[in-house]
Amino acid sequence: MVIYADNAATTQLDTDAFEAMKPFLLENYANPSGAYSYSKKAKQAIKAARKMIAECINAEPEQIYFTSGGTESDNWAIKGFALSDYDYKAVITSQIEHHAILNSCYDIERLKHPVAYLPVDCKGVVATDTLNRYISDRIGLVSVMTANNEIGTIEPIKELAQIAHSHGALFHTDAVQAVGHIPIDVKVLGIDMLSASAHKFNGPKGIGFLYCKEKVLQPFHNGGSQEFGMRAGTENVPAIVGMAVALRKNIIEMEQNAKHLRRLSEELLSILEASNVPFILNGHPTNRLPGNINLSIKGKSGEGLMHMLDLKGICVSTGSACDSHNQQVSHVIQAIGVPEDYCEGTIRITLGKHNTEEEVKAIAETLIKLSRI
């Protein structure tokens, strides 16, 4: 039996989302751009999904643009801003962003757009004082993730957005790990752009969205007039429908799911503490994503632990699944200053709504044994 505990990498497709997708795979498969009546159901489905997703984050339907996922949404936000900004204003981001943001920033630096990378504290928090030290009226965009994909720390997005706006800058947030798991209201938080990916909240892979308050970006794909002329290409109707259903369901069940995940996390950590396993819990101790447990175990190899857990049928990771080929200590763990004798022993356990207490006990008991080898 497999125990899946890498829900930050991807989540199990929700059965309601799957059922909602099936008709658009098998029956109503027309291209929504078709001029004939057979395309009508696909067009209506996209419209309904866009409205449903917008309601989940308190946006307007015309502010939601469908993409292939979080990576494309992040790329579009950063590069789309750079291509629209002829004054070459600077971008500010943080040192612990996902590589979709960091690598996009490296790209625009080659286009002569200055980029500043904010340090974080030992809990992974981007402090408002830090942003205040870096920001000026020459900043065009601030991009800080809502919650970190490795250590789960939730950032002070509302306060950071206020600082950005006070200097005339736009504010973007990579909310890929947060959407569907913690409350997000783009109007209350003051977010101008937001990236999300369906497979992180029990939707299908290969689909996501970019919320954009106003049309401040250049089109990302050239071709047809899809997505209000901003992203050409035939829409992935089944995936769009599945994403909307999965997100709405997770929003409805959010409080219940969070309570379940916090209880499981506390159980796992208490078992490890009672057994005197020498570990550090990385990230903010309380203001973190439900179910995110990033541990550094003294004197161990995170890669070794991951493979030994895999042999026991337990799936965890050493960090971002998007960077699994790179077995060095992650940039996030380096940025928060995890001690040298702990940092190499870092693993990420991310529980989901389908995990059980029995599975958590099995993970903890296996880790205890491995820590003593």
Side-chain angles (χ1 to χ4, degrees):
M1 184 185 77
V2 172
I3 297 176
Y4 184 77
D6 196 19
N7 286 273
T10 197
T11 55
Q12 181 180 336
L13 179 63
D14 184 81
T15 53
D16 289 344
F18 177 63
E19 290 300 326
M21 293 169 67
K22 281 166 63 176
F24 297 96
L25 289 165
L26 302 174
E27 302 161 15
N28 304 314
Y29 53 83
N31 188 321
S33 296
Y36 33 76
S37 58
Y38 186 42
S39 293
K40 188 175 181 180
K41 285 188 177 180
K43 290 177 186 176
Q44 290 174 335
I46 291 174
K47 183 178 181 180
R50 199 185 305 275
K51 183 176 184 292
M52 191 183 300
I53 289 168
E55 289 173 350
C56 287
I57 61 170
N58 195 23
E60 304 303 321
E62 62 272 16
Q63 296 171 330
I64 303 297
Y65 299 93
F66 297 126
T67 67
S68 63
T71 293
E72 182 187 331
S73 297
D74 282 344
N75 273 256
W76 192 0
I78 300 298
K79 296 175 184 177
F81 162 77
L83 292 172
S84 302
D85 175 36
Y86 301 107
D87 293 330
Y88 289 90
K89 287 191 173 182
V91 172
I92 292 179
T93 189
S94 83
Q95 294 178 356
I96 63 169
E97 297 296 309
H98 190 279
H99 280 107
I101 291 291
L102 294 177
N103 290 340
S104 293
C105 286
Y106 302 153
D107 270 359
I108 68 168
E109 284 187 285
R110 288 192 283 271
L111 297 174
K112 309 303 181 186
H113 281 268
V115 180
Y117 301 89
L118 301 178
V120 296
D121 67 17
C122 63
K123 299 173 185 176
V125 176
V126 179
T128 54
D129 287 348
T130 304
L131 179 57
N132 272 318
R133 288 200 304 272
Y134 278 74
I135 202 163
S136 73
D137 292 342
R138 284 297 301 163
I139 304 301
L141 176 68
V142 176
S143 179
V144 176
M145 64 199 329
T146 306
N148 187 265
N149 55 302
E150 292 192 32
I151 59 174
T153 296
I154 298 171
E155 302 294 349
I157 295 302
K158 184 177 181 179
E159 293 78 7
L160 296 172
Q162 288 173 342
I163 295 169
H165 293 156
S166 70
H167 288 270
L170 297 171
F171 187 84
H172 165 260
T173 186
D174 174 346
V176 167
Q177 291 292 334
V179 169
H181 300 288
I182 61 174
I184 293 179
D185 184 319
V186 293
K187 293 176 182 175
V188 169
L189 296 175
I191 296 168
D192 298 301
M193 292 186 283
L194 176 147
S195 303
S197 185
H199 76 107
K200 304 294 188 177
F201 50 78
N202 304 98
K205 296 175 179 64
I207 189 71
F209 65 88
L210 176 67
Y211 157 77
C212 194
K213 183 179 179 181
E214 297 177 6
K215 288 191 176 181
V216 295
L217 303 178
Q218 289 292 320
F220 200 59
H221 291 172
N222 296 315
S225 60
Q226 292 91 349
E227 295 305 296
F228 313 110
M230 293 293 287
R231 185 187 185 273
T234 302
E235 299 95 336
N236 186 346
V237 183
I240 289 170
V241 170
M243 172 168 62
V245 171
L247 180 55
R248 182 177 64 177
K249 187 171 181 179
N250 265 22
I251 296 293
I252 292 169
E253 298 176 349
M254 184 180 291
E255 188 175 341
Q256 171 189 330
N257 290 339
K259 184 177 179 181
H260 171 67
L261 292 173
R262 290 192 181 101
R263 182 175 59 81
L264 292 183
S265 298
E266 290 168 4
E267 175 75 8
L268 192 151
L269 292 171
S270 66
I271 294 172
L272 295 180
E273 287 168 354
S275 299
N276 296 316
V277 175
F279 74 89
I280 296 171
L281 175 66
N282 298 313
H284 198 284
T286 55
N287 192 30
R288 61 190 300 123
L289 289 172
N292 180 294
I293 308 168
N294 188 293
L295 304 174
S296 292
I297 299 178
K298 187 176 182 179
K300 294 297 176 180
S301 159
E303 183 183 0
L305 289 170
M306 178 187 70
H307 289 305
M308 286 188 281
L309 286 164
D310 185 30
L311 291 174
K312 301 290 185 180
I314 299 171
C315 302
V316 303
S317 70
T318 55
S320 173
C322 304
D323 199 36
S324 59
H325 66 282
N326 184 357
Q327 299 301 338
Q328 298 176 353
V329 175
S330 86
H331 66 291
V332 176
I333 295 303
Q334 291 179 39
I336 63 174
V338 175
E340 188 175 344
D341 53 345
Y342 282 85
C343 65
E344 290 188 5
T346 301
I347 59 169
R348 181 186 68 175
I349 302 166
T350 44
L351 305 172
K353 62 184 181 181
H354 299 295
N355 286 117
T356 65
E357 188 172 348
E358 290 71 25
E359 290 177 330
V360 161
K361 288 178 178 177
I363 294 170
E365 289 166 4
T366 306
L367 272 177
I368 291 166
K369 292 175 183 176
L370 295 177
S371 71
R372 293 170 178 168
I373 294 176

